[in-house]
Amino acid sequence: MNLIEVYVQEVTRWLPKKKKEDIALELESTIHDMLPDDYDEKDVYLALEELGDPKVLANKYSEKQTHLIGPKYYDLHLSILKWIIPFAVIYSLFTLLGVKLLNLINLGERFDVSISNMEEVLINAITWSITAYVFVTVIFAIMEQVDGKNEDLPKWMGFTSWDPKKLWKEYSVPKKKSIPLSEINAGLIWTVVWGVGYFYADRFLGIYESGQDGLRMVTPAFNQEVLLSFWPIVLLLLGAEIALAIYKLIKRKWSRNMAAFFMIYKIVSVAAFVVILTQPKLFAADFLTMLSTWFGAAPAIMKDYMVWGTLTLMVVFGAIAIYEAFKKANMNNRSVL
């Protein structure tokens, strides 16, 4: 697709199905009438700039408002929800779990995975998600009623006039090369999860047994003192993940520099976990004893299986991720004409 086709598609995607084809033909004809016979990229940009924001133009084609949030604000509304809801969930989960965890640490006890605890966490996350969704949607519905028919997005929100180059910049990047917000959010959530899991491994990771009040830890999997002895390295890895997430948010597409940064991070993280996982006293003795009883193998053999199995998976999946990163970075952008 060229830029003209992209523009027409962007306008018509907001319109009723029965009108799309006729308006698409009319709009494409209008654009070509605005262009000289031997037009170039600059002429196309000027013609589309004169027509204006495709969302606003779609609003003008609509005979009456049949939506709560129209084309003008829809993408912005969706983008903000993609950020607000995950952070609302994270905030609610870690506020609730953080309070419980601090109380347990003060009492010197381990985390009790009971049904009541899990229900409380789930209800809290759902409640915050619904609250965030309703709040954001109501704000945008009010904005739609007050400002929906104006030409541009409101300047008081920091928006500039619409530019066709921005539309093409978004479309010209192949889908697989672009970085969706969901990927960035998932990465940040994973960073928080494994960071908390590492620094409080003796509270969460281990062998559980079913009791009257739910699951309760019998023995932790790791010696926490050994894990905490590597805290500077782990903080460096967590900081690198956060920096990579910010880098992705700013660029929103894979580049060779980003892929190189990602490769260095993966290599360093694998090397760091080789050092950590091969520590002789990393695993708790009771944990290895229970596993050897279940599987009928010596504790040392169980330990080797877990260590080298984990490292093998890290190397394999890390190599695949690095390959995919460079593959995406080397994809060519589409042409305007």
Side-chain angles (χ1 to χ4, degrees):
M1 294 176 71
N2 57 37
L3 181 54
I4 295 173
E5 292 170 334
V6 172
Y7 183 87
V8 172
Q9 178 180 276
E10 187 65 18
V11 173
T12 56
R13 80 183 180 101
W14 304 104
L15 301 174
K17 190 174 181 180
K18 62 181 181 179
K19 290 184 175 183
K20 282 187 177 184
E21 189 174 346
D22 292 338
I23 292 176
L25 292 172
E26 177 189 334
L27 183 56
E28 194 166 346
S29 176
T30 300
I31 294 171
H32 282 288
D33 288 343
M34 298 169 68
L35 297 171
D37 292 334
D38 188 20
Y39 64 86
D40 58 15
E41 182 180 316
K42 185 178 179 181
D43 295 320
V44 174
Y45 280 129
L46 289 173
L48 297 185
E49 190 172 6
E50 186 177 340
L51 287 171
D53 191 330
K55 299 182 184 68
V56 177
L57 187 58
N59 254 356
K60 292 177 179 178
Y61 277 113
S62 301
E63 295 176 0
K64 60 179 180 179
Q65 182 172 329
T66 58
H67 44 253
L68 181 64
I69 299 172
K72 179 177 174 181
Y73 287 113
Y74 180 79
D75 284 344
L76 180 61
H77 172 249
L78 198 61
S79 297
I80 291 178
L81 285 179
K82 286 178 180 178
W83 273 102
I84 291 292
I85 291 181
F87 277 106
V89 172
I90 293 172
Y91 174 79
S92 65
L93 289 177
F94 283 94
T95 299
L96 183 60
L97 289 175
V99 171
K100 287 182 175 292
L101 186 60
L102 288 173
N103 289 335
L104 290 174
I105 292 172
N106 291 333
L107 295 172
E109 297 179 0
R110 298 189 180 100
F111 188 71
D112 181 10
V113 188
S114 64
I115 294 176
S116 60
N117 277 340
M118 292 300 101
E119 285 180 349
E120 187 177 357
V121 168
L122 184 61
I123 291 172
N124 202 41
I126 292 173
T127 301
W128 275 92
S129 299
I130 294 173
T131 302
Y133 176 82
V134 171
F135 178 78
V136 172
T137 302
V138 168
I139 293 296
F140 272 90
I142 294 172
M143 289 167 59
E144 177 68 32
Q145 295 298 320
V146 173
D147 191 59
K149 288 294 181 181
N150 289 338
E151 291 294 317
D152 295 308
L153 286 167
K155 300 295 187 294
W156 58 268
M157 291 184 69
F159 294 102
T160 56
S161 298
W162 181 79
D163 185 353
K165 291 182 180 179
K166 183 179 179 182
L167 174 64
W168 184 247
K169 185 179 179 181
E170 293 172 357
Y171 180 78
S172 64
V173 178
K175 188 174 181 181
K176 289 185 178 180
K177 187 173 184 175
S178 62
I179 303 173
L181 280 174
S182 57
E183 179 182 322
I184 300 171
N185 287 331
L188 287 172
I189 292 172
W190 170 244
T191 300
V192 172
V193 168
W194 87 258
V196 172
Y198 184 92
F199 284 103
Y200 295 100
D202 61 333
R203 305 289 173 179
F204 294 107
L205 304 178
I207 296 176
Y208 287 79
E209 66 177 12
S210 181
Q212 200 170 22
D213 298 324
L215 296 175
R216 189 169 186 83
M217 185 184 290
V218 178
T219 178
F222 301 99
N223 286 318
Q224 194 64 35
E225 290 183 5
V226 176
L227 291 176
L228 292 179
S229 66
F230 294 96
W231 68 266
I233 297 175
V234 174
L235 283 183
L236 181 64
L237 294 177
L238 291 171
E241 284 195 6
I242 294 171
L244 181 61
I246 295 172
Y247 193 9
K248 287 180 177 180
L249 179 62
I250 294 171
K251 296 298 183 181
R252 296 304 301 276
K253 65 178 181 179
W254 283 95
S255 64
R256 291 179 182 176
N257 288 338
M258 185 183 294
F261 180 83
F262 180 73
M263 179 181 67
I264 293 170
Y265 164 74
K266 282 294 182 182
I267 293 172
V268 171
S269 63
V270 169
F273 276 97
V274 167
V275 175
I276 295 171
L277 291 173
T278 53
Q279 293 299 303
K281 294 184 179 180
L282 175 65
F283 293 98
D286 291 341
F287 175 73
L288 293 175
T289 300
M290 291 187 73
L291 288 183
S292 65
T293 301
W294 291 347
F295 294 99
I301 294 176
M302 295 303 304
K303 177 186 174 183
D304 287 342
Y305 275 133
M306 288 187 292
V307 169
W308 296 111
T310 301
L311 291 177
T312 300
L313 290 175
M314 288 184 69
V315 170
V316 171
F317 285 106
I320 293 172
I322 291 170
Y323 168 77
E324 289 292 331
F326 277 100
K327 181 181 175 182
K328 293 173 183 177
N330 288 323
M331 288 180 175
N332 295 321
N333 292 349
R334 300 182 180 97
S335 175
V336 173
L337 300 176

